[in-house]
Coordinates of all heavy atoms in Angstrom, one line a residue:
Chain Q
E1412 N 142.6 59.3 -108.0 CA 141.4 59.0 -108.7 C 141.7 59.0 -110.3 O 141.1 58.2 -111.0 CB 140.3 60.1 -108.4 CG 139.7 59.9 -107.0 CD 138.8 61.0 -106.6 OE1 138.7 62.1 -107.3 OE2 138.2 60.9 -105.5
L1413 N 142.6 59.9 -110.7 CA 142.9 59.9 -112.2 C 143.6 58.6 -112.6 O 143.8 58.4 -113.8 CB 143.8 61.2 -112.5 CG 143.0 62.5 -112.4 CD1 143.9 63.6 -112.6 CD2 142.0 62.5 -113.7
Q1414 N 144.1 57.9 -111.6 CA 144.8 56.7 -112.0 C 143.9 55.5 -112.2 O 144.3 54.4 -112.6 CB 145.9 56.3 -111.0 CG 147.0 57.2 -111.0 CD 148.0 57.0 -109.9 OE1 147.7 56.1 -108.9 NE2 149.1 57.7 -109.9
H1415 N 142.6 55.8 -112.1 CA 141.5 54.8 -112.3 C 140.5 55.2 -113.3 O 140.6 56.4 -113.7 CB 140.8 54.4 -110.9 CG 141.7 54.0 -109.8 ND1 141.9 52.6 -109.6 CD2 142.4 54.7 -108.9 CE1 142.8 52.6 -108.6 NE2 143.0 53.7 -108.1
D1416 N 139.6 54.3 -113.7 CA 138.7 54.8 -114.6 C 137.6 55.8 -114.0 O 137.6 55.8 -112.7 CB 137.8 53.6 -115.2 CG 136.8 53.2 -114.4 OD1 137.0 52.4 -113.5 OD2 135.6 53.4 -114.9
F1417 N 136.9 56.5 -114.7 CA 136.1 57.6 -114.1 C 135.0 57.2 -113.2 O 134.6 58.0 -112.3 CB 135.6 58.5 -115.2 CG 134.4 58.0 -115.9 CD1 133.1 58.4 -115.7 CD2 134.4 57.0 -117.0 CE1 131.9 57.9 -116.4 CE2 133.3 56.4 -117.5 CZ 132.1 56.9 -117.3
L1418 N 134.6 55.9 -113.2 CA 133.5 55.4 -112.3 C 134.2 54.9 -111.0 O 133.4 54.6 -110.0 CB 132.7 54.3 -113.0 CG 131.9 54.8 -114.2 CD1 131.3 53.7 -114.9 CD2 130.8 55.8 -113.6
W1419 N 135.5 54.8 -110.9 CA 136.1 54.1 -109.7 C 135.7 55.0 -108.5 O 135.2 54.3 -107.4 CB 137.6 54.2 -109.8 CG 138.3 53.6 -108.7 CD1 138.5 52.2 -108.3 CD2 139.1 54.3 -107.7 NE1 139.3 52.1 -107.3 CE2 139.7 53.3 -106.9 CE3 139.3 55.6 -107.4 CZ2 140.5 53.7 -105.8 CZ3 140.2 56.0 -106.4 CH2 140.7 55.1 -105.6
R1420 N 135.8 56.3 -108.5 CA 135.4 57.0 -107.2 C 134.0 57.0 -107.0 O 133.5 57.1 -105.8 CB 136.0 58.4 -107.3 CG 135.4 59.3 -108.4 CD 136.0 60.7 -108.3 NE 135.4 61.6 -109.3 CZ 135.5 62.9 -109.3 NH1 136.2 63.5 -108.3 NH2 135.0 63.7 -110.2
I1421 N 133.2 56.8 -108.0 CA 131.7 56.8 -107.8 C 131.3 55.5 -107.1 O 130.6 55.5 -106.1 CB 131.0 56.9 -109.2 CG1 131.5 58.1 -110.0 CG2 129.5 56.9 -108.9 CD1 131.3 59.4 -109.3
H1422 N 131.8 54.4 -107.6 CA 131.6 53.1 -106.9 C 131.9 53.1 -105.4 O 131.1 52.6 -104.6 CB 132.5 52.0 -107.5 CG 131.9 51.3 -108.7 ND1 130.9 50.3 -108.6 CD2 132.1 51.4 -110.0 CE1 130.7 49.9 -109.8 NE2 131.4 50.6 -110.7
R1423 N 133.0 53.8 -105.1 CA 133.4 53.8 -103.6 C 132.5 54.6 -102.8 O 132.6 54.5 -101.6 CB 134.8 54.3 -103.6 CG 135.8 53.4 -104.2 CD 137.1 54.1 -104.5 NE 137.7 54.8 -103.5 CZ 138.7 54.5 -102.7 NH1 139.2 53.2 -102.8 NH2 139.0 55.2 -101.6
A1424 N 131.6 55.4 -103.4 CA 130.9 56.5 -102.7 C 129.4 56.0 -102.7 O 128.6 56.8 -102.2 CB 131.1 57.8 -103.3
L1425 N 129.1 54.8 -103.2 CA 127.6 54.6 -103.3 C 127.0 54.4 -101.9 O 127.7 53.9 -100.9 CB 127.5 53.2 -104.1 CG 127.8 53.4 -105.5 CD1 127.9 52.0 -106.3 CD2 126.7 54.3 -106.2
P1426 N 125.7 54.8 -101.8 CA 125.1 54.5 -100.3 C 125.0 53.1 -100.0 O 124.6 52.2 -100.8 CB 123.7 55.2 -100.7 CG 123.5 55.1 -102.1 CD 124.8 55.1 -102.7
P1427 N 125.3 52.9 -98.7 CA 125.0 51.5 -98.1 C 123.5 51.2 -98.1 O 122.7 52.1 -98.3 CB 125.5 51.6 -96.8 CG 126.2 52.9 -96.6 CD 125.7 53.8 -97.7
A1428 N 123.1 50.0 -97.9 CA 121.8 49.4 -97.8 C 121.0 50.4 -96.8 O 121.6 50.7 -95.7 CB 121.8 48.1 -97.3
G1429 N 119.8 50.7 -97.2 CA 119.0 51.5 -96.2 C 119.2 53.0 -96.2 O 118.6 53.6 -95.4
R1430 N 120.2 53.5 -97.0 CA 120.5 54.9 -97.0 C 120.0 55.6 -98.1 O 119.9 55.0 -99.3 CB 122.0 55.1 -96.8 CG 122.8 54.3 -95.8 CD 122.3 54.6 -94.4 NE 122.9 53.6 -93.5 CZ 124.1 53.7 -92.9 NH1 124.8 54.8 -93.2 NH2 124.5 52.7 -92.2
I1431 N 119.9 56.9 -97.9 CA 119.7 57.7 -99.1 C 120.9 58.5 -99.4 O 121.5 59.3 -98.6 CB 118.6 58.8 -98.8 CG1 117.3 58.1 -98.5 CG2 118.4 59.8 -100.0 CD1 116.1 59.0 -98.2
G1432 N 121.6 58.1 -100.5 CA 122.8 58.7 -100.9 C 122.5 60.1 -101.7 O 121.5 60.1 -102.5
I1433 N 123.3 61.1 -101.4 CA 123.1 62.4 -102.2 C 124.5 62.6 -102.8 O 125.5 62.8 -102.1 CB 122.7 63.6 -101.4 CG1 121.4 63.3 -100.7 CG2 122.5 64.7 -102.3 CD1 120.7 64.4 -99.9
F1434 N 124.6 62.7 -104.1 CA 125.9 63.1 -104.8 C 125.8 64.6 -105.3 O 125.0 64.9 -106.0 CB 126.1 62.3 -106.1 CG 126.6 60.8 -105.8 CD1 126.9 60.4 -104.5 CD2 126.8 59.9 -106.9 CE1 127.3 59.1 -104.3 CE2 127.3 58.7 -106.7 CZ 127.6 58.2 -105.4
D1435 N 126.7 65.4 -104.8 CA 126.8 66.7 -105.1 C 127.9 66.7 -106.2 O 129.1 66.7 -105.9 CB 127.3 67.5 -103.9 CG 127.4 69.0 -104.2 OD1 127.5 69.5 -105.4 OD2 127.6 69.8 -103.2
R1436 N 127.4 66.7 -107.4 CA 128.2 66.5 -108.7 C 128.4 64.9 -108.6 O 128.2 64.3 -107.7 CB 129.5 67.2 -108.9 CG 129.4 68.7 -108.7 CD 130.8 69.3 -108.9 NE 130.8 70.7 -108.7 CZ 130.4 71.7 -109.5 NH1 130.2 71.4 -110.7 NH2 130.4 73.0 -109.2
S1437 N 128.9 64.4 -109.8 CA 128.9 63.0 -109.9 C 129.7 62.5 -111.0 O 130.5 63.3 -111.6 CB 127.4 62.5 -110.2 OG 126.9 62.9 -111.4
H1438 N 129.4 61.3 -111.6 CA 130.1 60.8 -112.8 C 129.7 61.6 -114.0 O 130.4 61.5 -115.0 CB 129.7 59.3 -113.0 CG 128.3 58.9 -112.7 ND1 127.7 59.1 -111.5 CD2 127.3 58.4 -113.5 CE1 126.5 58.7 -111.5 NE2 126.2 58.2 -112.8

Side-chain angles (χ1 to χ4, degrees):
Chain Q
E1412 287 168 354
L1413 286 172
Q1414 289 174 356
H1415 299 272
D1416 87 284
F1417 76 106
L1418 293 171
W1419 181 75
R1420 62 177 185 164
I1421 306 297
H1422 272 281
R1423 295 159 52 98
L1425 292 170
R1430 312 295 169 89
I1431 297 177
I1433 306 181
F1434 280 0
D1435 180 350
R1436 307 181 189 272
S1437 68
H1438 41 298

